C-alpha cells in the first residue's frame, strides 16, 4: 500500500473515530440539514456566524465513516474563517 493511501486512511479513520466539532451548538444562528436517501447519511450542521466570521460550528447525525470524517474535516477548516460567498449566511 502506498504511503499516501495509508495516510489518507489514517486521517479518515481518525476523524471518524474522534470527530471534531461533533456537538449540538446551543447558540447557533444558522443551520442546515442534509439527508441522502440512497445511503442513509443524515446530518445537521449548526453555525454561529458573527460579524462575517464563522465563530463556531457543530454537527451531529449518522452516516458512513467517509461522511462523518468529511464533516469533521470541513468543520476544522472553516472555523474562524469568512465564507467566500454569502450563500445562506
Amino acid at each position: 500500500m502506498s504511503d499516501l493511501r495509508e495516510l489518507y486512511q489514517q486521517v479518515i479513520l481518525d476523524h471518524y473515530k474522534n470527530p471534531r466539532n461533533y456537538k449540538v451548538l446551543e447558540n447557533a444562528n444558522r443551520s442546515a440539514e442534509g439527508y441522502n436517501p440512497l445511503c442513509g447519511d443524515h446530518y445537521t450542521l449548526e453555525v454561529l456566524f458573527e460579524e462575517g466570521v464563522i465563530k463556531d460550528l457543530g454537527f451531529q447525525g449518522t452516516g458512513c465513516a467517509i461522511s462523518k470524517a468529511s464533516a469533521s474535516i470541513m468543520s476544522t477548516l472553516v472555523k474562524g474563517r469568512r465564507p467566500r460567498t454569502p450563500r445562506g449566511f
Side-chain angles (χ1 to χ4, degrees):
M1 183 178 293
S2 76
D3 290 341
L4 187 58
R5 178 178 227 154
E6 206 170 298
L7 176 63
Y8 170 77
Q9 287 181 343
Q10 289 173 1
V11 169
I12 295 297
L13 284 174
D14 179 44
H15 277 271
Y16 172 66
K17 291 178 180 178
N18 306 295
R20 282 56 153 193
N21 301 301
Y22 190 77
K23 61 186 177 183
V24 173
L25 192 63
E26 297 294 335
N27 59 343
N29 54 17
R30 305 286 193 278
S31 67
E33 184 176 355
Y35 174 65
N36 184 340
L38 299 176
C39 66
D41 293 349
H42 189 195
Y43 287 99
T44 300
L45 174 69
E46 298 171 324
V47 179
L48 174 60
F49 189 71
E50 291 178 345
E51 300 173 10
V53 176
I54 298 170
K55 296 285 187 181
D56 199 7
L57 72 158
F59 75 97
Q60 65 271 335
T62 59
C64 68
I66 292 178
S67 69
K68 189 176 219 176
S70 296
S72 175
I73 292 167
M74 179 272 308
S75 74
T76 62
L77 292 173
V78 303
K79 196 178 215 180
R81 300 190 73 175
R82 293 179 182 277
R84 289 187 182 187
T85 59
R87 287 191 243 174
F89 291 100

